[in-house]
Structure formats: structure tokens, C-alpha cells
Amino acid sequence: GDIEKFPFLDPPKPSMIREGLKELLELGAIRHVEKNENGTVERIISLTDTGKKLARIPIQPRLAKIMLTASELAALPSALPVVASLSCDDPRRRPQDEKERADQAHAQFNVDGSDFLGTLKLWNWWEEQSNALSQNQLRKLAQKTFLAYSKMREWRDTVHQLTTLSKRLGLDIQNDNGGSDSLHRA
């Protein structure tokens, strides 16, 4: 039916509806939108298979689309930490009085030309540390490297939730080309 006539308790602005539909079209979630002579949306013609999958992933549609594409490119295990980081708060702390020290501590995770690969480098490092250290040691390490321990845990929990969801959706979480080309294409 006409989304603009849906009885929302707090209806979105028509411009927001148009932007949302435009995004869904760009992501391949819907096939076509019919408009009347005034340019308002009449109805969505059909939800695509991609749209049905996106609807089952409880994160922003663009991030969910990255997951689907990464699965197709056999890069999902590398993409999941990046997707999760984009849906969580940044764990890197940069206190006003210690900006230079924080930048130095974070520099080990930088990858020239790619914030995504830098995020993946931080993830891999944290996973190694998590497997080797106690929770108390991890807290101290997080403080020393200007990382918010609670945000790192949230990030890790989100990756695990997305991994579980990926399995339920039948996405390919086994294969991982993991290279920068695959991750950047996703």
C-alpha cells in the first residue's frame, strides 16, 4: 500500500520516506516504486530476495548489504568485525590532555590507504590478546593503549551476534579471502 498513508504513531516526514525508498532501491532491496502525478509514492512493486535478507539483519541496511556482498565474495569473516565496528561506538579513546600519547598508541593499528583494514588490524590484535590474557590484564592493556574496554567488549559481542545470525541466514562464514581487495569490494 501507500507508505505515506500508513497510520504511524509518529509519522516520518515525506522527505525521509523518499530517502529511505531511494536507499532501498540502491541496495536492491525493492524492485520498483510507483509514483503518482504529484511525485508521491503510490506503492512498492515488490521486495527482492536481497530485501528479504536485509530485513532479517537488525542493523542499518547498508551495513547488512555489506554482509551479504562479503558472503558472496568469500570475505565475510574479515568483513564482520568491520561491519560490527560501524554499528558500535569507536573504542579508541583520545582524552583531551593525552591526545598525542593516544595517537601514538593507536598508530600501531593504522594501515595506509584503508581505515577498514586498520579496523581489521585492531580487531585481530584484540582477539589475540583476548585469547592470551585474563580479563584483568585485558582491562589494563585497554587502558594502556587508550581503548575503552567496555566498547571493545561491545564490539566483540556484536561480532559474535552477527556471526550467529550469518550462520542462521546461511551466509558463507567459512571461506575468507581476507585480502584487502575482497574487503574493499565488499
Side-chain angles (χ1 to χ4, degrees), residues 1-5 33-37 39-44:
D2 186 350
I3 194 167
E4 291 180 341
K5 292 180 182 171
V33 176
E34 280 187 10
K35 296 180 180 182
N36 64 20
E37 62 277 352
T40 57
V41 173
E42 286 294 321
R43 64 187 175 112
I44 297 172

Side-chain angles (χ1 to χ4, degrees), residues 39-51:
T40 57
V41 173
E42 286 294 321
R43 64 187 175 112
I44 297 172
I45 300 303
S46 64
L47 188 64
T48 64
D49 288 340
T50 298

